[in-house]
């Protein structure tokens, strides 16, 4: 079975940094692009970032460009999201999702990032 | 950026009846590879989204055939036949044809 598990969410002050991690199992990680999606409490879904299987293609939402950095380690089946200069509007559940022929077909339970002073 | 607009935003449905959700994009979602990357998701409270339909009309593994997707270009529809209590929640469309990927605002399905 495919498993996706996010971790690293925390309460942080504005301007600080945080790194989220996503561990996967049950599929060949380096065959698939991976995505980050976030959801502010009570709000809709917002795509954050995508990284291709070999990290050659990386894309970000304008709202996080220049502050967030996505990376992957195919040897460790892991995905990361480095978040710098966090803002209150970055407060959300962050989900990691598997790409592929049926994109976003597997999601983790999410990890909560709260940015507040 | 491609804007995805869903209608209605709320849909009260009687159990056993059908429901339809529309999703319109501001640009054609046909990719240069010929595919149209339009997906539909269902999210229950406190749960992550679940993929229902991808590339307009392909049901993901394990999704009942009560769920069907249709459309082309900029106009797409999700139809839910014989609505069950487990179908309540919020439905989202997503275009992943062009960066930045964009979701619709969500449609809340509730039982009358």
């Amino acid at each position: 079975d495919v498993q996706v598990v996010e971790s690293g969410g925390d309460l942080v002050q504005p301007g600080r940094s945080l790194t989220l991690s996503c561990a996967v199992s049950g599929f060949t990680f380096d065959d698939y692009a991976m995505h980050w999606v976030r959801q502010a409490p009570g709000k809709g879904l917002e795509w954050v970032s995508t990284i291709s299987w070999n990290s050659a293609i990386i894309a970000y939402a304008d709202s996080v460009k220049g502050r967030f950095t996505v990376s992957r380690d195919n040897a460790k089946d892991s995905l990361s999201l480095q978040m710098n200069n966090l803002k209150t509007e970055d407060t959300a559940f962050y989900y990691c999702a598997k790409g592929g022929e049926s994109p976003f077909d597997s999601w983790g339970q999410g990890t909560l990032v709260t940015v507040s002073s | 950026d491609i804007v995805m607009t869903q209608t209605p935003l709320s849909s009260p449905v009687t159990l056993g009846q059908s429901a339809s959700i529309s999703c319109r994009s501001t640009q054609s979602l046909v990719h240069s590879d010929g595919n149209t990357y339009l997906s539909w998701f269902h999210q229950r409270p406190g749960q992550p989204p679940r993929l229902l339909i991808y590339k307009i009309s392909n049901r993901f593994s394990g999704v009942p055939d009560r769920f069907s997707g249709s459309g082309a270009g900029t106009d797409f529809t999700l139809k839910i036949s014989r609505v069950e209590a487990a179908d309540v929640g919020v439905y989202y469309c997503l275009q992943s044809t062009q960066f930045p990927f964009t979701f619709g605002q969500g449609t809340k399905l509730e039982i009358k």
Side-chain angles (χ1 to χ4, degrees):
Chain A
D1 279 6
V2 172
Q3 288 206 336
V4 176
V5 180
E6 304 92 341
S7 61
D10 204 349
L11 168 63
V12 296
Q13 294 179 326
R16 304 301 289 261
S17 298
L18 194 65
T19 298
L20 304 183
S21 298
C22 174
V24 309
S25 62
F27 65 97
T28 304
F29 182 65
D30 54 14
D31 279 349
Y32 294 93
M34 295 294 295
H35 312 282
W36 287 99
V37 174
R38 69 184 181 183
Q39 185 171 37
K43 302 297 184 183
L45 300 170
E46 180 187 15
W47 169 79
V48 173
S49 182
T50 291
I51 184 168
S52 65
W53 68 275
N54 61 355
S55 305
I57 298 173
I58 290 176
Y60 300 98
D62 285 346
S63 58
V64 307
K65 200 174 295 183
R67 299 187 300 121
F68 288 14
T69 302
V70 64
S71 62
R72 64 190 295 161
D73 185 339
N74 287 345
K76 296 182 178 178
D77 290 356
S78 69
L79 178 73
S80 295
L81 186 68
Q82 169 74 38
M83 304 185 295
N84 297 329
N85 188 22
L86 282 161
K87 305 177 179 182
T88 55
E89 53 265 38
D90 295 320
T91 293
F93 285 92
Y94 284 74
Y95 295 102
C96 172
K98 171 180 164 284
E101 183 67 11
S102 49
F104 299 83
D105 66 12
S106 300
W107 299 60
Q109 290 296 312
T111 188
L112 179 61
V113 173
T114 303
V115 184
S116 174
S117 53
Chain B
D1 297 2
I2 298 176
V3 176
M4 305 297 287
T5 302
Q6 290 182 227
T7 54
L9 297 183
S10 178
S11 180
V13 183
T14 302
L15 288 173
Q17 297 299 303
S18 295
S20 285
I21 301 170
S22 170
C23 181
R24 287 188 172 175
S25 59
T26 51
Q27 298 176 36
S28 171
L29 298 186
V30 179
H31 192 274
S32 57
D33 66 7
N35 289 307
T36 299
Y37 295 100
L38 185 284
S39 304
W40 290 96
F41 299 85
H42 175 216
Q43 187 178 33
R44 297 187 180 102
Q47 294 294 314
R50 168 196 170 206
L51 176 66
L52 298 173
I53 303 285
Y54 63 98
K55 288 195 286 186
I56 303 178
S57 59
N58 295 271
R59 264 188 306 277
F60 184 56
S61 175
V63 175
D65 59 9
R66 299 186 297 105
F67 293 87
S68 60
S70 62
T74 61
D75 287 342
F76 306 93
T77 301
L78 175 70
K79 182 177 180 182
I80 310 169
S81 303
R82 305 182 302 281
V83 168
E84 301 179 357
D87 298 336
V88 299
V90 182
Y91 291 81
Y92 295 93
C93 61
L94 163 72
Q95 71 80 16
S96 53
T97 290
Q98 174 183 312
F99 290 120
F101 295 167
T102 42
F103 287 91
Q105 323 95 298
T107 296
K108 188 172 185 178
L109 185 76
E110 45 200 8
I111 305 299
K112 281 182 185 175

